[in-house]
Amino acid sequence: MPTSDSERCEAKKLKTEAQHMSTEENGEVPSSPEKAQLKYGELVVLGYNGSLPYGEKGRRKTRFTLFKRAAANGVKPSTHHITKTPQASKIVADKSHHSVSYTLSRNQTVVVEYVRDEDTDMFQIGRSTEPPIDFVVIDTLPGNKTAEDCKVQQSTISRFACRIVVERNPTHTARIYAAGFDSSNNIFLGERATKWKRPDSSMDGLTTNGVLIMHPTGGFGQECKAGVWREVSVCGGIYSLRETRPNPQRGKLIDDESNVLHDGTLIDLCGATLLWRSSAGLQKTPTHKHIEELRKEINAARPQCPVGLNTLAFPTRSRTTKVTEEKERQPYVYLNCGHVHGHHLWGQKENENGDRECPMCRTVGPYVPLYMGNEPAFYVDCGPPTHAFCPCGHVCSEQTARYWAQVPLPHGVHAFHAACPFCATQLTGEQGFIKLIFQNDIGT
């Protein structure tokens, strides 16, 4: 019998694969041309519990799978030219060529020509819906979102935010670069953009709000810890953070770090944060089916509300965006003590916070519904769902809760705070999460 979380996860994964040989391990089925293609990895947007509130449509979704392309489309820098303006360069005008333009003054621009690289595949991410963008991302708002919530008036995400270049041959190394090529295959860094000449006389620069990355230490697993946030340049250099995102003064070059993506690397685009999961890392990640089985196991134990003595049940994935109609079965938790109850009116306090007094231990605090964390990519192990984030109530394994509670996620142009990966709500309380205590000792 499997004894550890990893063994249990692997056993359930093998069972799932045997039952669903034609599906992807995380519930995503690629279109027919991609079925036989190699998967490099996945990008998953933090703050969504498995899907967008208005549905996954085209290139705008919560996860993007990077498959090996049928033909290489990568590019690499070649020669550079000095012109008066970008428009004066034949390379910029020729849409069949890729280029990066660095405007130094009104009368001088350095244009770097990029040529085809048959050994790499390129994938572009940004807010734009134009054809060059493979993965369209929008600003992430905290909380349980509705379609109306996702209509952002003014975005801080660049239209062509960044690009990821993956080696087509083993070991399929993936690297990230700030800025993406537009519909004319150009990248423009204007006169006010942060740019500089490197020791080898080549040019480099930063985008307005920057592209930040953070590699976890110890790998993305039970022992992982938060790393240090860095900024990546247009040419892939790694720098310490600027004082604020749009500050014109670049940070210090970090020579011993690289733009190579590791399993669990976070990518922040100033408005949305993405999680990179490598193909190898995804093999160790719980599946949607595994999480669903954990939900069913809890419900099968028939946990009871200590007050109403009614049986509680976690709702299915399709009903986790709002409180279920069957309120008497919906599990709730007192966030300051962890006791799980059903929905009742006992212990209400007359204050603006709507706090409740727990009937089990008399602790006063927030009283919120519990929902399963349904996005498998956010889990660092396959442990049982015994803990919940505060104040949102999303449930996951203990190690997953501990990891995300100590990860400072960028917020705005200069702030950082820990947030629930399933809804992007800023965490509160001493730890940011609470251990769940059921009446019949489930999860204790």
Side-chain angles (χ1 to χ4, degrees):
M1 292 291 290
T3 56
S4 66
D5 292 338
S6 60
E7 289 175 332
R8 284 194 293 269
C9 182
E10 182 64 23
K12 291 191 175 183
K13 183 181 289 291
L14 291 173
K15 179 181 178 182
T16 301
E17 290 174 348
Q19 295 173 339
H20 302 271
M21 289 294 289
S22 62
T23 63
E24 284 292 305
E25 67 270 20
N26 281 300
E28 183 178 7
V29 183
S31 59
S32 54
E34 298 174 323
K35 281 186 178 180
Q37 292 181 352
L38 173 74
K39 180 161 78 171
Y40 295 136
E42 292 182 353
L43 289 169
V44 187
V45 185
L46 263 62
Y48 297 94
N49 198 14
S51 64
L52 291 170
Y54 48 81
E56 307 278 285
K57 299 178 181 178
R59 292 171 293 159
R60 182 172 291 177
K61 45 195 174 183
T62 59
R63 70 165 61 227
F64 173 63
T65 304
L66 283 69
F67 290 100
K68 184 176 183 179
R69 296 187 184 276
N73 72 330
V75 292
K76 57 186 177 182
S78 179
T79 58
H80 74 273
H81 312 266
I82 299 177
T83 65
K84 287 187 176 181
T85 64
Q87 292 73 22
S89 172
K90 293 182 179 180
I91 298 172
V92 173
D94 187 350
K95 292 185 179 181
S96 66
H97 287 79
H98 289 73
S99 67
V100 179
S101 300
Y102 301 87
T103 301
L104 304 181
S105 66
R106 292 184 179 180
N107 300 314
Q108 187 179 29
T109 297
V110 176
V111 178
V112 180
E113 181 183 3
Y114 277 64
V115 296
R116 288 287 180 184
D117 183 358
E118 298 299 328
D119 295 324
T120 63
D121 287 334
M122 182 172 66
F123 305 88
Q124 299 205 137
I125 301 100
R127 176 170 49 88
S128 173
T129 57
E130 293 182 30
I133 295 299
D134 296 290
F135 187 22
V136 179
V137 293
I138 59 175
D139 294 69
T140 301
L141 300 177
N144 287 327
K145 305 163 188 67
T146 63
E148 191 66 26
D149 293 333
C150 294
K151 295 180 180 179
V152 180
Q153 297 298 320
Q154 187 172 4
S155 176
T156 52
I157 301 174
S158 173
R159 295 174 67 243
F160 303 93
C162 68
R163 61 197 191 278
I164 292 175
V165 177
V166 187
E167 295 177 3
R168 291 172 61 85
N169 299 318
T171 57
H172 306 298
T173 302
R175 293 179 173 86
I176 184 170
Y177 301 82
F181 294 97
D182 62 18
S183 295
S184 299
N185 289 332
N186 299 314
I187 294 174
F188 294 98
L189 273 72
E191 192 173 347
R192 295 184 179 181
T194 302
K195 54 191 140 356
W196 61 92
K197 184 177 290 187
R198 298 192 293 187
D200 61 358
S201 297
S202 62
M203 295 297 298
D204 202 354
L206 304 173
T207 54
T208 302
N209 289 326
V211 175
L212 309 186
I213 63 173
M214 190 273 281
H215 303 304
T217 61
F220 195 69
Q222 291 187 348
E223 304 301 324
C224 62
K225 302 292 182 184
V228 179
W229 283 99
R230 304 296 192 193
E231 182 166 8
V232 62
S233 70
V234 173
C235 294
I238 301 298
Y239 295 83
S240 61
L241 301 188
R242 292 178 270 181
E243 289 187 7
T244 60
R245 297 292 281 263
N247 193 302
Q249 183 62 44
R250 74 173 188 271
K252 180 182 178 182
L253 176 65
I254 310 296
D255 289 314
D256 58 349
E257 296 184 23
S258 75
N259 62 335
V260 174
L261 297 178
H262 306 295
D263 186 39
T265 293
L266 290 174
I267 304 167
D268 187 79
L269 306 179
C270 196
T273 304
L274 314 179
L275 173 68
W276 168 256
R277 295 307 311 271
S278 67
S279 181
L282 288 170
Q283 299 301 317
K284 306 173 185 177
T285 301
T287 64
H288 282 303
K289 185 173 179 63
H290 174 71
I291 295 174
E292 176 63 12
E293 288 178 353
L294 291 175
R295 184 190 70 84
K296 290 180 178 180
E297 286 177 8
I298 294 178
N299 291 347
R302 301 181 62 81
Q304 283 191 329
C305 171
V307 174
L309 300 181
N310 52 300
T311 301
L312 307 178
F314 279 88
T316 61
R317 289 181 59 200
S318 61
R319 306 184 67 182
T320 57
T321 56
K322 60 182 179 179
V323 177
T324 63
E325 297 174 359
E326 301 176 353
K327 283 188 175 181
E328 68 277 3
R329 299 194 69 195
Q330 171 69 46
Y332 279 70
V333 64
Y334 289 89
L335 292 180
N336 285 354
C337 61
H339 285 113
V340 178
H341 288 248
H343 183 267
H344 57 70
L345 302 178
W346 195 92
Q348 293 187 54
K349 296 296 179 182
E350 295 183 0
N351 58 37
E352 296 180 356
N353 299 327
D355 288 342
R356 300 283 193 95
E357 181 182 71
C358 175
M360 301 296 290
C361 64
R362 301 293 183 176
T363 300
V364 177
Y367 172 71
V368 300
L370 291 171
Y371 295 109
M372 291 291 294
N374 288 320
E375 177 48 67
F378 299 152
Y379 282 74
V380 301
D381 67 351
C382 297
T386 57
H387 289 65
F389 287 108
C390 305
C392 58
H394 281 109
V395 179
C396 61
S397 68
E398 178 181 1
Q399 294 303 321
T400 298
R402 289 189 180 279
Y403 173 70
W404 289 107
Q406 48 100 28
V407 173
L409 296 174
H411 180 71
V413 296
H414 57 77
F416 290 81
H417 62 229
C420 170
F422 302 105
C423 68
T425 299
Q426 182 174 354
L427 300 184
T428 60
E430 183 177 346
Q431 293 183 305
F433 60 89
I434 189 74
K435 179 181 173 64
L436 301 179
I437 303 174
F438 289 82
Q439 184 186 29
N440 50 348
D441 293 331
I442 293 179
T444 58

